[in-house]
Every structure is written in C-alpha cells, then in structure tokens.
Amino acid sequence: EKEPVRYANLMYDRRVVRGNTYALQVIPASTQPSPWEIQRQREARKRALARKRAKEQMQSRTPEPVEGREHIRVQTELYLEEISDRIIEVDTECQTDAFLDRPPTPLFIPAKTGKDVATQIEEGELFDFDIEVKPILEVLIGKTVEQALLEVMEEEELAQLWAHQRAYAELRNAELAEVQRLEEQDRRYREEKERRKLQHMQMLQKQKETTEKIAARAFAQHYLADLIPSVFNNLRESGFFYDPIERDIETEFFPWLMTEVEETLEMKVLGRTVLDSLICTVVEKRLDAFSHTPLSNQTEAPAEKPRPTDAAPQVASETGAADQPVTEKEETDQPVAEEQPAHHVSFQSEESDLAGTENLETE
C-alpha cells in the first residue's frame, strides 16, 4: 500500500532529503507508477516469498508441540545474553578540574622619595645610666632575692613533707609487716588446727577400720572354722584328692583283671559248648551205629569189657581235656571227621567214647 502524503509535516515529505545524499530518491514525474513497474514489484515479492518458503522448508524444524504446550525460542549459545526490546542506555559524565582562584593582589607600597634624616645625641644629654639604672637594679635584685627566698622556703617545706612522708611510709610499712606477720601467724595456727583435726580424723578412721578388721577377722575365723575340713571332705568325696596307688589299681589293674576273667570265662563257656556239641554228635553217631550193626556184633560186644587199667588213663586224659577245651576240640575233631563217612566203628573206639561220656557226665 502506498503511504499517504502528509504535507503538514516536513519530516514526512519525500522531497526533503535526510541523511546521506546517496540515498536520494528520484521522484517520478507522475504520482501513478507504470504498469511494468507494478508487475516487476509483484514478481520481486513473489520471488522473495518463494525464496522464504524454500528456506523454511530446507531448515530442520522441530515436531509440533503436544496439546496444551507450545514452543519457545531458547538461546543455545555458549554465553547467554539478556534479550530486551529496549536498547540499554548508560549515561556517562566527565568532569574537568575547577578553575584555580587568582592569587590576591599584593599591597601597593609606593616607592620611597627624598633623603633619610638622622639626629645626633651625645652622652649624658637624655639620661644618666648609673642613676637611672639603680632603681631598676634594686627592683630586679629584690625580686630575685625574694624569689630565691621563696624557692628556699618551698624546698625546705618540700623536704619536711618528704620527711613526713618517709616517716609515715616507714610506719605504714611496719604496720603492714606486723599485719602480715599476724595474718601469717593466724594462717599457720589455722593450718595447724586443720592438720591436727585431719590427723585426729584419720586416726579415728584408722582405729575404726582396725576395729572393724579385727571384728571381721574374728567373725571370719569363727565362721570359717569348719569350712576347711568340710571343703577338704567334699573335695575328697568328689574325687579331687585320691591315693595314686589306689587310683592306679582302680583304673588300670581292675579293668585288665576283669578283661582277663571275662576272656577266661568266655573260653570255658566256648569249650563247654564245643564239648556239648561233640557229645551230642557222638551220641547221635553211636545211636546210629548201634541201630545199624548186625546181631552178631551186638552179642559179642558185651562179652568184652574194658579193663579198669585202660579206662583210667582215658578218664584222666579226658578230665584234663575238660580244663583245656581248645586242645580237646583239636583232638576230638579228628575222630568226628573220621567217623562221619564210616557207619561201622571198631569196638575199642566205642569203649573209649563211652568211657569219655561217662567221665563228662560225672563231672
């Protein structure tokens, strides 16, 4: 749109050149632009818009914000700076030195004119020095002597004051020394009194402790009179005091003796068990033998009886075998092994077996 012409103010008048003269705009003769100029401006505006759209399309854009949010431009530079529409303005002043005051105008002294005039006075024309000086000297000497007397009197008074002060200081020092002596004496008396009281209290405390110790010792002796025998009896009954020989017999000899006795009894029981089994085996075999032997052998057997001389050694040997079951077992194992396959035995072996069985039964 064309800006309206404001003729009331020269600042808005295009005919007034402001600034550089190189920016002088040439005003056309007619106010209406030509058609080709309007067409050129439109094309230029279209090209600018197309260039702007292409540039916007080429730039990477962030996705659209979600509902309820909006995108805000954020500075991503290394150093942040405040963004403000108003340019920051700072006022700076510079003050020069003040003007120096003009020095005061010196006093005007006119130049001396004419000649100097002097008057000659001879000696004795105005006054006599010896006569005129005498009262002055008398006054000065009187004042000097009077001042000297005053100073001497003042010195004597000061000396007397100093003497009085020294005497007073000596008296005061003596009184202070006496007071200190009395205070020290009172302090010594008080300390001695406290020390004597402390010693007496300590003596009473020690006497009380000694009495209590004596009473406690007597009570302890009376109370613990039967303690040591009872303790030793309890310890002896508990087994803490023992005879080493008796303990050795109880712990070493008796277990060994019992073990040996048990082993001996076990061997005897084993021998008797083996002997019983042998007797049972021999009786069974003899029963089988008697049941299977022919009648001729049965009729001949009673005719021959064992001689007493022959049976006695067997009985003695079998009694010895009873005391030694292991040896008898070894001896009896052999006949049993021989008798198992044979059903018919000799008459002499049968008599010896019968004699052995009778001996065992008598035992």
Side-chain angles (χ1 to χ4, degrees):
E1 297 180 358
K2 187 177 181 181
E3 185 180 359
V5 180
R6 297 182 179 86
Y7 297 101
N9 193 350
L10 292 177
M11 295 297 295
Y12 295 98
D13 192 355
R14 291 181 177 273
R15 295 173 295 177
V16 178
V17 177
R18 296 185 301 274
N20 193 359
T21 57
Y22 288 103
L24 181 62
Q25 296 181 3
V26 180
I27 298 174
S30 61
T31 57
Q32 295 293 335
S34 59
W36 62 271
E37 184 69 21
I38 294 173
Q39 184 68 24
R40 188 174 61 82
Q41 290 178 1
R42 287 178 180 176
E43 291 178 358
R45 191 178 298 109
K46 288 180 181 180
R47 285 196 298 271
L49 291 174
R51 196 180 302 110
K52 186 177 180 180
R53 291 196 195 95
K55 188 176 181 181
E56 290 179 356
Q57 291 178 0
M58 291 176 63
Q59 291 179 356
S60 60
R61 299 181 61 185
T62 57
E64 295 296 330
V66 297
E67 185 178 358
R69 296 187 181 181
E70 61 180 2
H71 288 170
I72 298 177
R73 293 183 176 274
V74 180
Q75 295 185 20
T76 57
E77 288 79 11
L78 183 61
Y79 300 98
L80 302 179
E81 60 181 2
E82 185 180 0
I83 299 175
S84 177
D85 296 338
R86 184 175 178 274
I87 299 175
I88 300 174
E89 297 178 358
V90 179
D91 296 336
T92 306
E93 296 180 357
C94 181
Q95 179 64 41
T96 59
D97 295 336
F99 291 104
L100 298 176
D101 296 336
R102 189 173 63 84
T105 304
L107 182 63
F108 175 73
I109 299 175
K112 185 173 63 172
T113 58
K115 294 181 181 179
D116 294 334
V117 177
T119 303
Q120 179 65 32
I121 299 174
E122 296 297 336
E123 184 178 357
E125 290 183 355
L126 296 178
F127 62 90
D128 189 355
F129 178 77
D130 294 334
I131 297 173
E132 298 292 339
V133 81
K134 185 175 180 179
I136 297 173
L137 287 175
E138 288 179 354
V139 171
L140 291 176
I141 291 171
K143 291 290 183 183
T144 303
V145 172
E146 185 180 1
Q147 184 67 27
L149 291 174
L150 291 174
E151 290 180 358
V152 170
M153 293 173 64
E154 184 178 0
E155 289 178 357
E156 290 179 357
E157 186 177 1
L158 289 174
Q160 291 179 1
L161 291 174
W162 289 342
H164 283 293
Q165 287 181 357
R166 284 195 295 270
Y168 178 75
E170 290 177 359
L171 180 61
R172 182 171 176 273
N173 292 333
E175 291 178 354
L176 290 175
E178 184 67 17
V179 170
Q180 291 179 357
R181 187 183 66 80
L182 294 176
E183 289 179 353
E184 186 68 20
Q185 184 179 1
D186 183 58
R187 186 184 62 81
R188 288 199 301 270
Y189 287 162
R190 188 170 58 255
E191 290 180 355
E192 184 68 20
K193 182 179 179 180
E194 294 293 335
R195 187 164 57 253
R196 292 293 178 86
K197 288 173 65 177
L198 182 61
Q199 288 179 358
H200 185 65
M201 295 296 293
Q202 290 178 356
M203 184 183 67
L204 293 177
Q205 184 69 21
K206 288 182 179 179
Q207 186 177 1
K208 182 179 179 181
E209 290 179 357
T210 305
T211 305
E212 291 178 355
K213 287 181 180 179
I214 293 172
R217 185 172 181 274
F219 178 75
Q221 288 180 354
H222 178 71
Y223 182 75
L224 301 177
D226 299 332
L227 180 62
I228 295 176
S230 63
V231 169
F232 276 98
N233 291 331
N234 292 332
L235 291 175
R236 190 176 294 104
E237 291 176 359
S238 300
F240 288 97
F241 300 109
Y242 56 87
D243 188 4
I245 299 174
E246 183 180 356
R247 175 61 63 87
D248 191 10
I249 291 172
E250 291 178 356
T251 57
E252 300 293 337
F253 179 71
F254 281 168
W256 174 80
L257 181 61
M258 294 300 293
T259 304
E260 294 294 330
V261 170
E262 289 177 358
E263 291 180 356
T264 304
L265 292 176
E266 288 179 357
M267 291 175 66
K268 288 184 177 181
V269 170
L270 180 61
R272 291 177 181 177
T273 305
V274 172
L275 183 59
D276 292 340
S277 63
L278 289 175
I279 291 170
C280 292
T281 305
V282 169
V283 169
E284 290 176 358
K285 291 181 178 181
R286 188 58 51 87
L287 182 61
D288 294 337
F290 283 130
S291 62
H292 295 301
T293 53
L295 295 175
S296 59
N297 294 333
Q298 291 179 359
T299 56
E300 292 176 359
E304 295 181 2
K305 293 183 179 180
R307 291 177 295 178
T309 57
D310 297 334
Q314 282 185 346
V315 172
S317 64
E318 287 176 359
T319 56
D323 294 333
Q324 296 178 358
V326 177
T327 56
E328 185 177 355
K329 181 180 178 182
E330 294 176 358
E331 293 175 357
T332 55
D333 287 338
Q334 293 177 358
V336 170
E338 293 175 358
E339 289 174 359
Q340 285 181 358
H343 295 283
H344 302 282
V345 294
S346 64
F347 179 75
Q348 187 177 359
S349 62
E350 290 176 357
E351 289 180 351
S352 64
D353 291 337
L354 290 173
T357 52
E358 290 177 357
N359 189 11
L360 288 173
E361 288 177 357
T362 57
E363 289 179 358

